[in-house]
Amino acid sequence: MWLDAQGLSVTPTGPLDLHGLITRLGFVQLDTIQVVARAHHHILWSRNQNYREPMLNQLLADHRGVFEHFTHDASVIPMQFYPMWRRQFRRLEAKVKKWEWHRGMLDSDGRNSIKDRIRAEGPLCTKAFDTKIKGEKKMWARPPHKLALDYMWYAGELSTSHRENFTKFYDLTERVVPGALLEETQDDDVQVDWLCRSALERMAFGSEGDIQRFWDAVSNAEAKRWVSDVSKTLIPAEIECADRSSVLVWAPEDIEERMGSLASPTSRLRILNPFDPVIRDRQRLKRLFGFEYTVEMFVPAAKRVWGYYVFPMLEGDRFVGRIEVKADRKTGRLLVEKLWWEPKVKPTSNRLDKLAAELARLQRFIGLDDLVWSI
C-alpha cells in the first residue's frame, strides 16, 4: 500500500503526466550529486521511464507548475500547494536567523540592494555578486551575498526562477508565483491541517512521527495535536512490521477501499535512488521492509559499511539488495562496481536477468553506450 501510494507498485511505463506525478508524491527532493543521475531525475524516472531530464526545469521555468523550497531538504513542490506553504517560510526564516554560521550575511540594506539588482536585471545566480568570506574559511563558510540569497529564499522573498546546469537563479517571488496563489492566505491551523492530512493521504497510513517527517513542515507537537483533534475522522490501525512486532498507526477514512482495490505489485526489479521518498524515512523503511539503509557519502571511506553512493534494489514489494553503480561519462560507460544481496535472497538467473534489464534501462536513460561489470 505504501509503495502503491508512492507510485512504485506499477510498471513505470505509459503516458507521462509530470505535474500529476509530482502532485501524487507531494514533493521531489533535489540533490546536486550525479554519480549516475541527480536524485530528482532518478526519482521521477523510477516512476515513469518516459521521463527525461530537461522536463523538470521546463515545468519549473516555463510552466510554473512547481516551485522550489525546503521540506526536509531542498525539493520541488507543486505550485498549487503554495498557499499552504507560507508557515514554512516563516518557520525557516526564524531558523536561519538562529544559525551561527549565517550571521555573516548582508544586512537589510545589502539584501535590498540584491533585490534591486534582480528587479532591474532579471533572475541572477550567486556568481553575479562578488562579496568575499571574511575570516577563516571553514567548510560550510559562504560569502555574505550567498547567505543573503539563501536567507531570502528560505523566507519566501526570493524564489527559484530556473536552473542552468543545476545552478539556481533567484527572482522576486512576485515574478515567479502566480498572482492568485500569492494573494491567497490561509490561517495557520488550516495550513497545519492540510500538511498533516495530505501527508497521511500520500502515505496511506502512519504514526504521528511518520506524519511529521513527511513534509518536515510541522513540529512533533503539532502533528500529535492534529491527530488528537481529528482522530474521529481517522481510522486507527495496527500493522505487523517486518520483525513481526506490531505498531499502531492512523489511516485515512478510505483505508478499506484502498486495501480492497490494491493489485499485486509489478515483479520488475528497480534500482532506486538513495533519496527516493520511499527510502528517505529510514525508520519507516526498516519497520515495513526490514531493510537497513544508510547514506554514507559523508562517512569517511575507511568507516563505510557499503560505499559512497549505493543504490537500494526493489523487486516487487521486497528490498532484495543494494548495488554500487557509477557513470563514467568520459568513456560513455556505466560501471557496476559492487553488488550485495540481502540475507535469504538468492541471485537466481531470473533475478539476475531482471537486474541486467534495469541496468540497461538506466544506461539508456543517462545516454551511455556501454555497461561494464567490474565485479
Side-chain angles (χ1 to χ4, degrees), residues 320 339 341-342 344-353 355:
V320 294
L339 174 63
W341 298 103
E342 285 292 280
K344 300 182 181 180
V345 173
K346 296 180 180 180
T348 63
S349 58
N350 181 49
R351 186 165 280 137
L352 289 171
D353 287 345
L355 175 58

Side-chain angles (χ1 to χ4, degrees), residues 230-366:
V230 304
S231 59
K232 291 182 179 179
T233 68
L234 304 178
I235 304 296
E238 183 178 334
I239 61 170
E240 182 181 291
C241 303
D243 63 2
R244 303 302 184 188
S245 64
S246 296
V247 174
L248 296 176
V249 294
W250 296 94
E253 288 182 291
D254 65 348
I255 187 67
E256 291 189 16
E257 294 174 30
R258 293 188 185 206
M259 292 174 66
S261 64
L262 280 176
S264 298
T266 175
S267 63
R268 181 181 291 216
L269 189 149
R270 292 191 231 204
I271 296 171
L272 299 183
N273 191 272
F275 297 109
D276 193 282
V278 167
I279 306 297
R280 182 187 63 83
D281 189 336
R282 311 285 189 251
Q283 295 180 46
R284 188 174 173 91
L285 178 68
K286 185 178 179 181
R287 186 194 310 150
L288 297 181
F289 301 99
F291 187 70
E292 283 199 60
Y293 181 79
T294 302
V295 174
E296 297 183 305
M297 284 161 275
F298 304 112
V299 176
K303 295 183 178 180
R304 290 175 189 147
V305 176
W306 307 104
Y308 173 75
Y309 204 86
V310 173
F311 299 83
M313 296 189 299
L314 174 71
E315 182 183 17
D317 59 2
R318 182 184 185 190
F319 283 89
V320 294
R322 56 201 86 201
I323 188 168
E324 188 170 19
V325 189
K326 294 181 181 178
D328 185 344
R329 289 177 169 79
K330 290 183 179 179
T331 62
R333 299 182 302 167
L334 182 64
L335 309 177
V336 181
E337 303 203 327
K338 292 180 183 178
L339 174 63
W340 304 266
W341 298 103
E342 285 292 280
K344 300 182 181 180
V345 173
K346 296 180 180 180
T348 63
S349 58
N350 181 49
R351 186 165 280 137
L352 289 171
D353 287 345
K354 290 181 183 180
L355 175 58
E358 177 73 350
L359 287 166
R361 289 188 288 265
L362 190 59
Q363 174 193 335
R364 290 194 296 272
F365 171 56
I366 58 177

Side-chain angles (χ1 to χ4, degrees), residues 163-219:
R163 287 182 179 264
E164 295 179 10
N165 296 321
F166 205 63
T167 297
K168 184 193 297 186
F169 281 74
Y170 300 83
D171 201 354
L172 304 176
T173 292
E174 57 265 32
R175 297 202 301 215
V176 174
V177 178
L181 294 175
L182 202 58
E183 292 172 6
E184 183 180 338
T185 59
Q186 297 289 348
D187 291 340
D188 198 69
D189 59 344
V190 173
Q191 293 179 59
V192 170
D193 177 73
W194 182 89
L195 288 163
C196 292
R197 197 176 299 278
S198 64
L200 191 57
E201 287 288 331
R202 285 165 176 79
M203 290 188 294
F205 56 86
S207 65
E208 289 94 338
D210 292 336
I211 293 168
Q212 187 279 325
R213 287 189 295 271
F214 184 85
W215 299 108
D216 198 16
V218 299
S219 67

Side-chain angles (χ1 to χ4, degrees), residues 130-181:
D130 58 6
T131 63
K132 305 297 182 183
I133 298 171
K134 295 180 181 179
E136 183 183 356
K137 291 188 177 181
K138 298 180 181 179
M139 181 185 297
W140 295 108
R142 299 289 184 271
H145 70 267
K146 173 59 175 170
L147 296 176
L149 286 166
D150 284 346
Y151 170 78
M152 290 187 284
W153 182 83
Y154 281 120
E157 296 177 36
L158 298 179
S159 294
T160 306
S161 166
H162 64 286
R163 287 182 179 264
E164 295 179 10
N165 296 321
F166 205 63
T167 297
K168 184 193 297 186
F169 281 74
Y170 300 83
D171 201 354
L172 304 176
T173 292
E174 57 265 32
R175 297 202 301 215
V176 174
V177 178
L181 294 175

